[in-house]
Amino acid sequence: MEHACIFCKIVRKEIPARVLYEDDDVLAFHDIHPVRPVHFLIIPKAHIATLYDANMTHQRALGTMLARAGELARLAGAESGFRTIINCGKVGQQEVYHLHMHVIGGPDPLGPMIVRPQ
Ligand code: 5GP
Ligand code: ZN
């Protein structure tokens, strides 16, 4: 089923993104509003709205998101560490309802939490 969501449109190349990596299951692209010098998103190509909606049928894509995070972080310039964040739902202050993992890196230490500019 075709979804109208913005990340599905990026997957279908209907809107542009700076793609870092792509395979059959996942897409990684730079965040449009980076909060640190390295800030990209890894998403499953399939539309999964939130982490609540993920299940064992999605395990290959979800595994790939984690398994590729380190090499993609290095590729993007985060050589000395990074942080992954998955915001989920209203309390998690998720903005785009297509599951995505933020990968955020320095070079400076990130501090205890990332605060998004309001
Ligand atoms: P969330 O709060 O849902 O975890 O974060 C959504 C992220 O998606 C935000 O960091 C936001 O900057 C990013 N984003 C929203 N729309 C677009 C877009 O059209 N292109 C790209 N590359 N990033 C987007
Ligand atoms: Zn979607």
Side-chain angles (χ1 to χ4, degrees):
M1 192 175 89
E2 282 216 346
H3 282 266
C5 103
I6 193 149
F7 286 178
C8 281
K9 288 182 179 170
I10 288 175
V11 168
R12 293 196 299 265
K13 311 281 159 65
E14 290 169 10
I15 61 171
R18 290 170 56 217
V19 171
L20 260 173
Y21 174 78
E22 177 168 18
D23 65 21
D24 287 346
D25 299 312
V26 308
L27 183 71
F29 55 95
H30 294 279
D31 196 289
I32 203 164
H33 296 305
V35 296
R36 290 293 187 278
V38 174
H39 186 180
F40 63 89
L41 307 171
I42 313 180
I43 71 170
K45 283 189 167 176
H47 181 84
I48 306 167
T50 80
L51 203 50
Y52 280 129
D53 303 294
N55 61 52
M56 293 307 288
T57 70
H58 306 124
Q59 64 178 309
R60 195 171 72 178
L62 296 173
T64 301
M65 287 165 61
L66 281 175
R68 293 284 184 194
E71 73 178 88
L72 294 176
R74 281 207 176 95
L75 191 70
E79 300 284 346
S80 306
F82 61 91
R83 182 173 296 154
T84 58
I85 299 171
I86 299 177
N87 294 319
C88 181
K90 190 176 165 193
V91 168
Q93 295 191 281
Q94 184 174 356
E95 287 175 358
V96 176
Y97 276 74
H98 180 130
L99 174 60
H100 51 280
M101 182 169 76
H102 297 257
V103 179
I104 299 171
D108 298 330
L110 297 173
M113 294 290 279
I114 301 283
V115 179
R116 224 185 323 225
Q118 293 298 312

